[in-house]
Amino acid sequence: MIARIREDIRSVFERDPAARTTWEVLSCYPGLHAIWGQRISHWLWTHGLKWLARLNSNLARWLTGIEIHPGAVIGRRFFIDHGMGVVIGETAEIGDDVTLYQGVTLGGVSWNKGKRHPTIGNKVVIGAGAKVLGPFTVGDDARIGSNAVVVKAVPAGATVVGIPARVVQEAQPPSEKVVAIARTMGFDAYGLTRDMPDPVANAIGSMLEHIQLLDERLVQVCKLLHQMDSRMPELELSKLELPDFCGEGLVTAPRSESAAQPEPESKVRRVV
């Protein structure tokens, strides 16, 4: 028992940067108090003392604002951050290293006596206000966004958001050229990660990729035209002037003075 308590305390320090001292965690974290109370209630429940188990869980709910049914099965290093309004149903099953935030409900959509609450895999993170409703499985390492309403199974490693919740598709990793341009411009292409699916960041990342491809294609076209007619200068892209908030980054190489002068219209017409 003491080893499990120490394990719970360590998990708080690992997942909550606001935790400062062991005494603070022991005395001021209702999520821990609710978990410890549930372990007592679950022991009573599995040993046939069901009324006493319900009474103990009700006391824990009154003290912490977190309602966990004594019949729920909870793994190791379970962490409830803040915790007010969390509800976990009777047939819910929770794996190891799971994190819940305030307002989460692991509930059911049926009045049947059998399995009616979700099964949560290992290392799952469920954001504030999310509702996971039904007897399905949320796979290991999945993430459920804040205020999402999940009513069907979630694959392992997936991120789901929205009402009803849908899987956020992972974008392909950006190329090295795009990453270099993004850093030069003061933009971090973080939108391509599953941790924070940002549609604006994804759009900017896609535009950078497209611009890079257009630049490469334009240079190739100019080289081919130069081979056909030496009077057609090879193109060297000019510097990209950026606003102050983008720093001093310059994306492309400077063009030569000869390339800076536009070709006469007649020459362009003959080449075409």
Side-chain angles (χ1 to χ4, degrees), residues 221-239:
V221 170
C222 289
K223 286 182 178 179
L224 290 174
L225 291 174
H226 179 72
Q227 292 174 5
M228 295 171 59
D229 188 340
S230 60
R231 293 171 298 177
M232 179 68 182
E234 293 188 55
L235 178 65
E236 295 182 9
L237 297 177
S238 62
K239 296 181 179 179

Side-chain angles (χ1 to χ4, degrees), residues 116-247:
R116 58 190 185 279
H117 300 99
T119 297
I120 309 298
N122 299 325
K123 297 182 180 179
V124 173
V125 178
I126 304 180
K131 315 301 177 189
V132 186
L133 308 174
F136 52 81
T137 299
V138 176
D140 295 347
D141 297 297
R143 292 169 180 258
I144 297 175
S146 297
N147 296 317
V149 178
V150 185
V151 293
K152 62 182 179 179
V154 178
T159 298
V160 297
V161 298
I163 305 174
R166 65 192 183 281
V167 176
V168 177
Q169 299 294 332
E170 287 191 50
Q172 294 297 321
S175 65
E176 294 182 0
K177 291 181 180 179
V178 172
V179 171
I181 293 175
R183 288 176 179 169
T184 303
M185 294 179 65
F187 165 73
D188 180 13
Y190 68 92
L192 299 176
T193 68
R194 72 184 182 90
D195 293 330
M196 186 59 69
D198 186 338
V200 176
N202 277 325
I204 295 175
S206 298
M207 286 189 291
L208 286 173
E209 182 80 39
H210 190 66
I211 290 170
Q212 178 67 24
L213 293 174
L214 286 177
D215 287 348
E216 292 176 354
R217 186 62 57 86
L218 182 59
V219 170
Q220 292 174 0
V221 170
C222 289
K223 286 182 178 179
L224 290 174
L225 291 174
H226 179 72
Q227 292 174 5
M228 295 171 59
D229 188 340
S230 60
R231 293 171 298 177
M232 179 68 182
E234 293 188 55
L235 178 65
E236 295 182 9
L237 297 177
S238 62
K239 296 181 179 179
L240 178 61
E241 300 295 335
L242 303 174
D244 294 338
F245 63 81
C246 288

